Amino acid sequence: MFSRKTMMVLGLILFFAFTIIFISVAGSRRYAAHTPGRFLFSVVAPFQKATSGSVRFFQQIWRHYFFLISVSEQNQRLRRELAHARSLETRCREIELTNDRLRSLLDFKARTDHEVLAAEVIGKDPSPWFKSVIIDKGSADGLRKGLPVLIPEGIAGVVTELSAHYAKVLLIIDPNSAVDALVQRTRARGMVKGKAGNQCELKYVLRKHELKVGDTVVSSGLDGIFPKGLRVGRISEVVRHNAGIFQEVTVSPYVDFETLEEVLVILDPPSPPEFVRPP
Amino acid sequence: MRVVFHLAIGLILIMIQTALLPAFSLFDTMYDLAVPYILYLGIYCHPAEGVLGLLFVGLCTDSISGAPFGLYLTTYLWLFGLVRQSVRYLHVGNQYYLPLVAGAGVLGENLWFFLMFWILDRESAFSSQSLAQTGGQLIWAVLTGAPLMLTIRSAHKRWSNRIHGLSTKKARG
């Protein structure tokens, strides 16, 4: 009925349409479990762990043995730095003691301690367009989807996929990631989303808020994932257009994602806030 | 036995991409190493063998990436189909053209991704940094894509010869 050429064109159009629909559905169900994906994820991750371990081992050898030539020079520099660090430490100790006294004086409530689990980053996303890492802890270690991942410097991401011994963490610099946040100084609320170039943007901040470059952005705790008050980043650019109700805010994360090697997973995050319907 | 070869190559490429290269900042703009492999499958391999290889690499990459599940698999399917069609009309298998083929493959993958980002409403993916990233990937692909394809081809030949030798020995013995 149809020529071979027509059938081929029709086939291509149908396959293109199928691809678009498939990717759109997959894109809207980011947290859904995929059995083949989970299986292959468990297959690939041990190899990633072994390769990462080997790379680190050889890096260690390189750093410790082959660089001995510069050790003497480095020693001198380190001695100077140590002297400087000692004076800094004395000052810090003084500040810490003052801080402790003020805390007890004002009866500051001690920070809630969360149960955390340390994990090692064993692989990074194969594509520069997506930002995720694989860690060497999984459901057998008590991890589950949606747990927050951080390092002492700030928030790193959220667990999105799991196998028994490995987990995938979507980093906050991925455009699919979202953290409900507020600017510490002004309490202006917004949504931190990933942006190109390892940066984030603070979206939906009203123009009425006076934000400054250098302001600290912390988690608001309202997304039900990240506990309140965790550091996210500092504002690096603010653009206020004449029109529109929001301003464009760029946030530089405190976490250096290029050198991310170990992370902490919070195992007992606070439960999401319950919204009571008005009677 | 051919299956083992493709599983091993796929796994090695993924390991290099996700665990080895990220340790060196020089490779920050490295392209997707699976692309030359998919091109190799399209140019030099039997369709059934090619589909097997691309299914394994596509599913593995999808499962460890933060991308929507299926994005890599469909990208590789399109690349594979296009290369198979190109082989009919152009001499893409000529090794002097391979750097161009590798560059075109990486460019095609990135364009496909941009189309998907546009469909998925990810406007933040479009920036000057995206262009720089794509440019960097193209340079890497043109420089290293052809040697990578030829290395895979050579390894594949050696593997086939060894397997053939073993099976002949077995038949005689």
Side-chain angles (χ1 to χ4, degrees):
Chain A
M1 197 162 74
F2 296 111
S3 69
R4 192 188 148 100
K5 201 174 174 183
T6 317
M7 290 294 280
M8 197 162 163
V9 171
L10 272 174
L12 278 175
I13 291 168
L14 278 174
F15 186 58
F16 182 75
F18 168 76
T19 310
I20 301 291
I21 293 164
F22 182 73
I23 296 294
S24 301
V25 172
S28 63
R29 297 175 66 228
R30 302 301 308 281
Y31 294 90
H34 305 281
T35 313
R38 188 184 291 178
F39 170 71
L40 286 168
F41 174 50
S42 315
V43 172
V44 175
F47 289 100
Q48 282 185 308
K49 188 179 183 181
T51 314
S52 296
S54 310
V55 169
R56 277 182 200 152
F57 174 72
F58 285 113
Q59 278 182 330
Q60 289 289 327
I61 289 178
W62 180 264
R63 282 174 194 151
H64 287 120
Y65 296 99
F66 293 101
F67 276 32
L68 273 177
I69 304 155
S70 61
V71 160
S72 170
E73 196 181 318
Q74 202 179 32
N75 195 22
Q76 291 293 323
R77 186 173 53 80
L78 288 174
R79 277 176 190 278
R80 282 197 301 272
E81 283 180 5
L82 182 67
H84 181 63
R86 276 191 179 143
S87 75
L88 265 180
E89 194 212 19
T90 315
R91 275 172 59 197
C92 286
R93 182 81 191 129
E94 268 306 303
I95 293 167
E96 198 182 331
L97 287 171
T98 312
N99 195 18
D100 283 348
R101 285 199 308 273
L102 286 172
R103 261 178 199 273
S104 56
L105 195 67
L106 295 169
D107 197 22
F108 254 44
K109 193 179 175 185
R111 255 175 71 182
T112 317
D113 285 326
H114 294 282
E115 193 188 341
V116 292
L117 179 72
E120 193 181 348
V121 175
I122 56 160
K124 296 196 175 174
D125 205 296
S127 165
W129 307 117
F130 303 98
K131 308 288 181 186
S132 66
V133 292
I134 309 289
I135 57 172
D136 66 344
K137 294 286 186 294
S139 54
D141 305 289
L143 264 62
R144 57 180 196 277
K145 282 184 187 178
L147 288 182
V149 178
L150 53 131
I151 60 169
E153 284 79 13
I155 288 176
V158 62
V159 174
T160 56
E161 191 97 33
L162 281 166
S163 70
H165 301 290
Y166 303 97
K168 192 196 293 178
V169 176
L170 188 72
L171 302 178
I172 58 165
I173 49 173
D174 188 285
N176 285 308
S177 157
V179 181
D180 198 307
L182 43 89
V183 179
Q184 203 167 39
R185 185 177 59 83
T186 64
R187 315 311 286 174
R189 216 181 126 196
M191 190 69 77
V192 173
K193 286 188 77 77
K195 198 180 170 184
N198 286 2
Q199 295 281 305
C200 295
E201 55 185 335
L202 185 61
K203 295 186 98 170
Y204 315 120
V205 181
L206 295 171
R207 287 185 74 238
K208 67 176 182 179
H209 295 294
E210 288 289 339
L211 303 183
K212 284 182 194 163
V213 171
D215 277 349
T216 300
V217 178
V218 295
S219 57
S220 71
L222 293 172
D223 50 19
I225 295 175
F226 296 99
K228 188 175 180 178
L230 294 178
R231 283 154 42 106
V232 178
R234 56 175 277 281
I235 293 177
S236 54
E237 193 185 5
V238 181
V239 179
R240 300 177 79 190
H241 295 295
N242 289 330
I245 54 172
F246 302 121
Q247 46 190 319
E248 277 179 33
V249 185
T250 305
V251 176
S252 299
Y254 284 122
V255 177
D256 182 0
F257 292 98
E258 295 294 325
T259 56
L260 197 63
E261 285 185 27
E262 284 92 21
V263 291
L264 296 170
V265 185
I266 296 183
L267 297 174
D268 57 344
S271 48
E274 285 180 18
F275 295 99
V276 183
R277 271 191 198 163
Chain B
M1 281 311 212
R2 284 182 175 190
V3 176
V4 178
F5 174 80
H6 289 295
L7 297 189
I9 286 288
L11 214 49
I12 289 168
L13 289 175
I14 291 171
M15 289 310 107
I16 293 173
Q17 183 93 53
T18 61
L20 186 66
L21 296 185
F24 307 98
S25 56
L26 173 70
F27 303 112
D28 278 352
T29 55
M30 195 58 163
Y31 59 95
D32 179 4
L33 292 181
V35 171
Y37 174 57
I38 300 298
L39 298 174
Y40 165 76
L41 291 173
I43 297 168
Y44 299 110
C45 293
H46 188 270
E49 203 177 338
V51 168
L52 178 97
L54 84 82
L55 274 178
F56 178 69
V57 177
L59 285 171
C60 280
T61 313
D62 270 326
S63 63
I64 57 168
S65 167
F69 193 84
L71 179 64
Y72 279 95
L73 185 61
T74 49
T75 308
Y76 296 159
L77 268 170
W78 276 104
L79 266 181
F80 181 74
L82 283 173
V83 172
R84 297 247 11 128
Q85 287 303 311
S86 310
V87 169
R88 287 172 153 195
Y89 309 108
L90 305 165
H91 295 286
V92 289
N94 185 322
Q95 56 185 12
Y96 296 108
Y97 294 150
L98 285 183
L100 290 178
V101 174
V106 169
L107 182 65
E109 185 191 46
N110 281 303
L111 290 177
W112 179 254
F113 280 175
F114 285 134
L115 176 69
M116 288 298 140
F117 295 153
W118 179 66
I119 289 167
L120 294 172
D121 201 21
R122 279 181 50 172
E123 75 281 358
S124 59
F126 304 100
S127 66
S128 55
Q129 274 157 337
S130 317
L131 280 179
Q133 178 74 39
T134 309
Q137 286 191 23
L138 277 179
I139 293 168
W140 273 115
V142 170
L143 291 176
T144 63
L148 182 58
M149 275 191 264
L150 293 173
T151 309
I152 296 171
R153 190 186 180 191
S154 158
H156 200 176
K157 267 186 183 169
R158 283 179 182 213
W159 177 267
S160 301
N161 289 341
R162 181 161 285 189
I163 297 302
H164 183 71
L166 279 175
S167 55
T168 316
K169 216 181 229 177
K170 212 175 181 182
R172 278 182 194 160

